[in-house]
Structures are given as C-alpha cells and as structure tokens.
Amino acid sequence: MYPQQPPNGPYQGGYPQQPAPYGGHHPTGPFPPGPVRMPGAAVTVRVLMFIGGVCGLLLGGLLWLAAAMASGDGRFSEDFMQGVQEGAGFPVSSTEAGLLFALVGAVPFVYGVLSTLLAALMGRRSAGVLWSVVVFQALAALCLVLNVASAGALVSVVPLAFAVLMLVLMLLRGTRAYYTRSAPAAY
C-alpha cells in the first residue's frame, strides 16, 4: 500500500493551473502573481479616516448651524446670543458670533472633506496616495499638538493619538510596499 498521490490533471488542488513561462517559473517566482489584498494596517487607516471624515463633516455642519442661529433675527437667535455672551464673559455681536462659528466650523469641515476623499482614494495603489495620507495625518497631528500645547485642550489628545496611530500604520513596511509596488498584471 502506497500513500495516495495528488492527481496530475489540469485541476490540481481544485484550481486550474496556468502554464508557466520561462522554463517552468513565473517572472515573480515559482507561484503565479495573484491579486494582492490591501494590508490590514492600510484597511485600519482607511476605516479610521472615513470615521474621522464623517465626524468632521458633522461637527463642521453643527458649527455652521450655530453660526446661522447666532446671526438670525428671531427670538431663538436672541436667546442663543444671550447664552454665547454669558459663556464668553464679554459682549459679542450676533455678526461677530456668526462669523466666529462659521470660521471655527470650517476647520473640521475641511478636515472631514479631505479625510473622506483620501480614504476613498486609498483603494488605488500609488505612492502619491501613500504620501498624501502621511502628509495629511502629519499636518493633523501637528495642529493637534499645537492645540494641546497652546490652549491646553486635553480633548485633542484622543484625536492626536489616532493621527499618530494612522501615521505609524501607513509607514509600516508592508503598507509602504503595497502602495509603492505596482499592482500585478492580470493574465
């Protein structure tokens, strides 16, 4: 009794075999190139960027809604402005408060747009996408560090940790290799 040998037919192991050029070996080695999946680190960064982008869009939209409420003419706007003036500790006109909320709302909104756009582009394999995400996250981390250092805004520590995490994940060898090597050609 001999051990059972694998079949030598065209469907070894249940998969059709492709003819191997170059004397039995493919140009990339003994195995044919197949579709390469996005590394888990890149998938994690992509998901976090989509989540951060949506949060930025929502926060920016809420601040723009506050700007509209502050600069309105109704009773609700007057009550809102009274609360803003009490919170600020000094008198602020409705125009000034509306402009302030609009400018402050632009920051997370622009972050949200860029983060969502870059997360959508991360499906493309190119060095430009890799370095765009790295530069974007580095700038976000720098702004958050300045916010913590200058204003003492400890609430910025959490997004700072996420920005640093995304930077590290994008600079891992596997993630860099995925974006800097060209995609395998279909045959």
Side-chain angles (χ1 to χ4, degrees):
M1 297 297 217
Y2 296 104
Q4 186 176 3
Q5 298 294 318
N8 289 331
Y11 295 102
Q12 294 177 358
Y15 297 101
Q17 299 296 312
Q18 297 292 327
Y22 308 109
H25 290 282
H26 287 275
T28 60
F31 301 103
V36 177
R37 296 179 126 192
M38 184 182 288
V43 172
T44 302
V45 170
R46 190 176 192 190
V47 168
L48 288 174
M49 286 183 66
F50 272 124
I51 292 170
V54 169
C55 289
L57 291 171
L58 289 173
L59 181 60
L62 285 174
L63 288 170
W64 284 347
L65 182 62
M69 288 190 296
S71 59
D73 291 334
R75 175 75 181 144
F76 183 78
S77 296
E78 290 174 13
D79 291 342
F80 182 80
M81 278 307 303
Q82 184 180 0
V84 168
Q85 289 173 353
E86 289 173 4
F90 55 90
V92 179
S93 72
S94 61
T95 306
E96 292 169 341
L99 182 60
L100 178 67
F101 278 114
L103 289 175
V104 170
V107 173
F109 191 82
V110 169
Y111 173 87
V113 167
L114 291 175
S115 182
T116 305
L117 175 68
L118 285 172
L121 290 176
M122 283 182 71
R124 300 180 182 178
R125 293 179 66 178
S126 77
V129 170
L130 168 75
W131 295 112
S132 295
V133 171
V134 168
V135 167
F136 176 73
Q137 292 302 333
L139 289 174
L142 179 64
C143 289
L144 291 165
V145 164
L146 291 174
N147 194 19
V148 170
S150 66
L154 294 179
V155 74
S156 296
V157 172
V158 173
L160 174 61
F162 278 106
V164 170
L165 173 68
M166 288 187 272
L167 268 172
V168 169
L169 291 174
M170 287 305 289
L171 294 174
L172 290 175
R173 182 180 311 175
T175 308
R176 283 192 330 254
Y178 175 78
Y179 283 105
T180 55
R181 293 185 188 145
S182 61
Y187 52 94

